[in-house]
Amino acid sequence: MQNTILDIIERGGKSDYETIAGKRILVERGQFWIQKQRQGHSMHYIVPYQACFAPQIPKFFIEKYSREGDTVLDPFCGRCTTVLEANQLGRIGWGADISPLGLEIAKAKQKNVKLIEVINRLKKIDFSKERKEGFEDFNDIYHPKTYSQLLNIRDQLKNTHVDKLIRAIILGRLHGHSDAFFSVWTFNVISMSKERIKNQAEKRGIKPEYRDIVPRIIKKAKEVMSDSIIEQPKSRLWRADSRDIPFINANSIDLIVTSPPCLNVVNYIDDNWLRFWFLGFDKERLRKKIVQTDDLNEYINFIKDSMEEMNRVLKQDKYCIIEVGDIRHQSKKLYMDHLIVPLAEQTGFEVEKVMINYMTAPKISRAFKPRTKNAGTKTNRCVIMKKIENL
């Protein structure tokens, strides 16, 4: 199979009609974009994030299916990769997501903050108060002085553009595998459980060291601010369920480029618990709002309802691109585009084609393969649909 894929890529791709969910669909296979680390705008990498939307995907479709000045929507915006790409390409990026984490990250990508503003703001943070409340739950993760710094800065940050950027940088530095992060050794992409962090530390014979957060914030700020941001004053972000976005007018969107969650392959709640803790959100309350299910029927209904709302807001004859992948579900291979295609006709769309981009499995999925039966995606499977009718 791998040799076949390599042959397709070597020949520049393959295009043919295939039967998907009982329908004859044009399928293009190949390598339409190359996914590698640190590709695209530097601000994309402010927070390591599992199952994030690779920036070259929305860039590819935004350039192909929209013009400057168009409004581009991502109703599953996550950390707002599509929104940032749209804004940088002269479009108007709009994003909605039910999770507050992604939106907190996205808020840092809206304004062109200067490094000196970050440095001057950090000088005004009062770290003199020794904070210990709740430390017993974090003593295997942070040094007590680092923990005290985190509580102090968390309570003093406001909602200015500079503070939004600093807050997002902190979210990306809360845990990781090097001296650049605030914690004892752990993964940077996901928040491992307290027990796993403790076990890993004991296995490696290490304890939390004092990590002064200020120089680490400044160092990361220099990295992510290396590319300037093209500000788009009409860009909008909302915390909302993809099935209900009434604040967006019907027939007002020029293009939708999005990547919905793939069943319960990623545990968005538990795998980000440290970040939710810093932001002050109760993850158990969030669990009731975020759709994260192994039930295929429940998932299909969720996606269908979301596509109906996408149809409502999209202009006639405009495009909606939904990127999914291939996963293991209940010990079987599941191609997620095979779920999207039959829903298109039910929700007022016509499938123009499916593009399958081959890639190497993400590093994080390989690292956690022994832990989970749901392996990471090895293809980007993009369903390109046109709105043909209002529901």
Side-chain angles (χ1 to χ4, degrees), residues 252-348:
S252 63
I253 301 298
D254 297 293
L255 173 67
I256 295 174
V257 183
T258 192
S259 182
C262 293
L263 288 162
N264 65 344
V265 170
V266 176
N267 189 333
Y268 289 100
I269 301 295
D270 296 322
D271 285 353
N272 287 297
W273 73 268
L274 267 171
R275 291 165 180 165
F276 285 127
W277 160 76
F278 183 79
L279 292 173
F281 288 101
D282 184 340
K283 67 185 182 71
E284 296 308 319
R285 293 182 64 181
L286 290 172
R287 203 184 300 278
K288 298 176 182 178
K289 296 181 179 181
I290 296 177
V291 177
Q292 191 171 281
T293 179
D294 196 47
D295 186 317
L296 199 55
N297 289 328
E298 180 184 357
Y299 179 79
I300 289 172
N301 288 331
F302 166 63
I303 296 297
K304 180 183 177 183
D305 291 344
S306 299
M307 289 176 64
E308 288 177 350
E309 190 70 337
M310 292 183 218
N311 173 278
R312 183 187 68 80
V313 302
L314 190 64
K315 293 178 181 177
Q316 189 75 18
D317 296 323
K318 295 295 185 177
Y319 284 90
C320 173
I321 290 92
I322 298 181
E323 187 268 347
V324 285
D326 57 278
I327 66 171
R328 299 293 300 179
H329 176 66
Q330 297 180 351
S331 301
K332 296 180 180 179
K333 191 83 165 182
L334 179 62
Y335 299 105
M336 300 298 287
D337 55 316
H338 290 203
L339 302 183
I340 304 297
V341 167
L343 293 177
E345 185 176 346
Q346 301 174 38
T347 54

Side-chain angles (χ1 to χ4, degrees), residues 83 87 106-112 229 231 235-237:
V83 175
N87 291 342
K107 291 173 185 176
K109 303 176 181 180
Q110 298 290 89
K111 295 293 181 179
N112 203 35
I229 291 176
E231 296 183 7
S235 183
R236 297 288 182 270
L237 300 172

Side-chain angles (χ1 to χ4, degrees), residues 226-253:
S226 59
D227 295 332
S228 61
I229 291 176
I230 298 174
E231 296 183 7
Q232 174 48 262
K234 294 182 180 180
S235 183
R236 297 288 182 270
L237 300 172
W238 295 276
R239 184 180 174 191
D241 191 308
S242 58
R243 297 167 291 186
D244 185 25
I245 46 177
F247 39 81
I248 300 180
N249 293 333
N251 305 301
S252 63
I253 301 298

Side-chain angles (χ1 to χ4, degrees), residues 1-2 5-6 9 29-33 35 51 57 262 265 323-328 333-337 355-367 369 373-382:
M1 180 61 180
Q2 185 64 26
I5 292 171
L6 292 173
I9 294 172
R29 298 173 180 269
Q31 203 165 67
F32 307 102
W33 48 81
Q35 291 188 208
I57 301 176
C262 293
V265 170
E323 187 268 347
V324 285
D326 57 278
I327 66 171
R328 299 293 300 179
K333 191 83 165 182
L334 179 62
Y335 299 105
M336 300 298 287
D337 55 316
M355 294 179 66
I356 300 177
N357 183 72
Y358 294 102
M359 63 176 181
T360 303
K363 180 170 62 175
I364 188 67
S365 74
R366 299 197 303 271
K369 191 173 182 180
K373 61 184 178 183
N374 295 321
T377 183
K378 295 182 181 179
T379 58
N380 307 116
R381 311 176 78 86
C382 301

